[in-house]
Each structure stands twice: as C-alpha cells, then as structure tokens.
Amino acid sequence: MPGVLYRKEREVLEFLAQFQNQYGFSPTLSEIAKATGHRSNSTVHTIIRSLVEKGYVQKVDGNTRVLKIIDEKIANTFQGVLPTVELPLMGYIAAGKPLEPYTDPNATFHVSASMISGQKTAYVLQVKGNSMIEEGILDGDYVVIEKTDIASNGDIVVALVDDSLATLKKFYKEGDQVVLRPANSEMEPIYPKQLRIQGIAVGIVRKFKTY
C-alpha cells in the first residue's frame, strides 16, 4: 500500500498524470517546477524520489524523464477518468471583497464525484488572492463548496461578513467570539461583528499550465 501522500507530492503527482494523459510522455523537471510553483529542479527531484520510494511512481529503465504512475486508480483519478459531476460555477471569491459573479450565469465546472457527499447542494468558486496559500489553496484555484450554515473549528468556510463581504477563511470559535483566520502568516484574522456561513470547502481543483 502506498505511503501517506503530502500536499506537495500530490500536486506533482497530479500534474504528472495530467501531462502524461495530454501528451503521452512525462514532463521535464523544469516543466514540473514551473507548473507546481517550485523554484528549483532539485526540489522537484526530491519530491519525485519520495513518490518513487512511497510506491506511487516508478522510473522506467531508471530514467527520471520516463515515469510511470503505478496505481491505475490514482492515475485515473488525476486524469479525470473516474465519474464526474457538473456543478454551477458561481463566481470569484476574494478576501475582503464582495463575491464577484461570473459573466456567464450558466457557467459550470466538472469535478470528481468523490469530492462531494451528494447530500447537500454544491457549487464551485474560483479563488482570487493568496489568503489561503498555507492550506495549499492558491490564486486561480477552484474550490468546491457544499452549502451549510454550520461550521466546526478548523473548517474552511465561505462566510458573509457584516452582510456585505464574502471571504474564504478558516473558521474558529473562541469563547463567544468567532474568528476567521487566513492561512497566510502575513495576513491578520478577521473578527466579524456579523457573520453568515454560506458553505464549507470540500475540495480543490487546480488547472495546471503546461509549457
């Protein structure tokens, strides 16, 4: 059974699967680094070595340039072969700004069916900004939201603050005070006077650029 897959490893594995599905061969270390936001090829090489050691990928003839994803189910998941559902793409979510709707009110987005429970209404928002980067949610990512007005400590929520500002933050309750914390050490938490939870993030989809 493969070992625990950490966020950076998952991002590299996901890009590797998508690239191979599109082009039929493996990307270079530079292509992986550029697509996944790593500054050096050596970092990517270390991640790939970890993926090999954990049993997710194998080198063909010992060549880093030719990698094979061992688990077919994992490959199918990242390549979008498994069943998907079509959800409404509601708009953009940015820190401290009103929810910005898409210009196309009929816009939709396909996500893996395994992301949602199927018991609640779900929709997709596109992230603007870097307030959640330490949770691996980057500018331009798509977050899958299930509608609910209840949240637990540590949940990533879509919240309407003071009836006007929609934001994506981590929810905490400290005594009688609700705190919305960014996943970015350079940003300050929000202590709202009024708050309405509009949903909880249950998944992230990233569209990698290929070069």
Side-chain angles (χ1 to χ4, degrees), residues 2 13 17 20-21 55-58 68-82:
L13 188 60
Q20 288 180 341
N21 186 52
Y56 285 98
V57 301
Q58 67 181 28
K68 178 183 178 182
I69 299 176
I70 296 173
D71 191 315
E72 185 176 342
K73 185 176 180 181
I74 290 174
N76 287 343
T77 299
F78 288 144
Q79 291 170 356
V81 176
L82 294 183

Side-chain angles (χ1 to χ4, degrees), residues 16 34 54 80 84 114 120 132 135 156 164 176 199:
L16 178 63
K34 187 175 289 187
K54 290 181 178 182
T84 62
S114 63
K120 298 178 181 178
M132 297 300 292
E135 284 289 333
I156 297 174
S164 61
D176 294 330

Side-chain angles (χ1 to χ4, degrees), residues 170-181:
K170 297 190 76 172
F171 173 93
Y172 291 96
K173 193 165 185 182
E174 299 176 357
D176 294 330
Q177 175 69 60
V178 170
V179 184
L180 298 176
R181 296 192 178 278

Side-chain angles (χ1 to χ4, degrees), residues 15-25 79 208-210:
F15 175 70
L16 178 63
Q18 291 179 3
F19 190 99
Q20 288 180 341
N21 186 52
Q22 183 173 354
Y23 296 104
F25 54 87
Q79 291 170 356
F208 293 105
K209 294 180 180 179
T210 54

Side-chain angles (χ1 to χ4, degrees), residues 1-209:
M1 183 176 182
V4 175
L5 190 63
Y6 295 105
R7 177 175 60 81
K8 291 182 179 180
E9 295 169 343
R10 181 182 178 87
E11 289 173 356
V12 169
L13 188 60
E14 184 174 356
F15 175 70
L16 178 63
Q18 291 179 3
F19 190 99
Q20 288 180 341
N21 186 52
Q22 183 173 354
Y23 296 104
F25 54 87
S26 300
T28 64
L29 293 179
S30 296
E31 287 168 334
I32 297 173
K34 187 175 289 187
T36 56
H38 295 290
R39 295 184 178 180
S40 70
N41 290 356
S42 61
T43 300
V44 174
H45 187 272
T46 299
I47 293 172
I48 289 175
R49 184 174 60 195
S50 178
L51 290 172
V52 171
E53 291 173 352
K54 290 181 178 182
Y56 285 98
V57 301
Q58 67 181 28
K59 298 177 184 178
V60 178
D61 297 328
N63 190 344
T64 305
R65 186 70 170 90
V66 185
L67 298 168
K68 178 183 178 182
I69 299 176
I70 296 173
D71 191 315
E72 185 176 342
K73 185 176 180 181
I74 290 174
N76 287 343
T77 299
F78 288 144
Q79 291 170 356
V81 176
L82 294 183
T84 62
V85 292
E86 187 177 16
L87 300 178
L89 184 56
M90 302 297 290
Y92 299 94
I93 183 80
K97 294 183 180 179
L99 187 66
E100 181 183 341
Y102 262 63
T103 53
D104 180 3
N106 299 313
T108 59
F109 196 91
H110 285 85
V111 304
S112 171
S114 63
M115 281 191 178
I116 60 175
S117 66
Q119 299 174 352
K120 298 178 181 178
T121 301
Y123 58 94
V124 177
L125 295 171
Q126 188 171 11
V127 176
K128 279 190 173 183
N130 297 310
S131 66
M132 297 300 292
I133 57 174
E134 289 165 17
E135 284 289 333
I137 303 175
L138 308 183
D139 183 46
D141 284 353
Y142 296 85
V143 285
V144 182
I145 307 296
E146 285 195 337
K147 283 187 177 180
T148 181
D149 57 2
I150 300 173
S152 301
N153 279 349
D155 284 343
I156 297 174
V157 301
V158 174
L160 189 64
V161 178
D162 299 332
D163 288 329
S164 61
L165 303 179
T167 188
L168 185 73
K169 295 288 183 291
K170 297 190 76 172
F171 173 93
Y172 291 96
K173 193 165 185 182
E174 299 176 357
D176 294 330
Q177 175 69 60
V178 170
V179 184
L180 298 176
R181 296 192 178 278
N184 185 329
S185 54
E186 297 181 356
M187 295 184 176
E188 296 296 323
I190 298 172
Y191 296 88
K193 294 179 181 178
Q194 294 181 323
L195 177 74
R196 280 194 293 160
I197 303 297
Q198 298 189 316
I200 293 177
V202 295
I204 305 167
V205 179
R206 180 167 304 150
K207 288 190 172 181
F208 293 105
K209 294 180 180 179

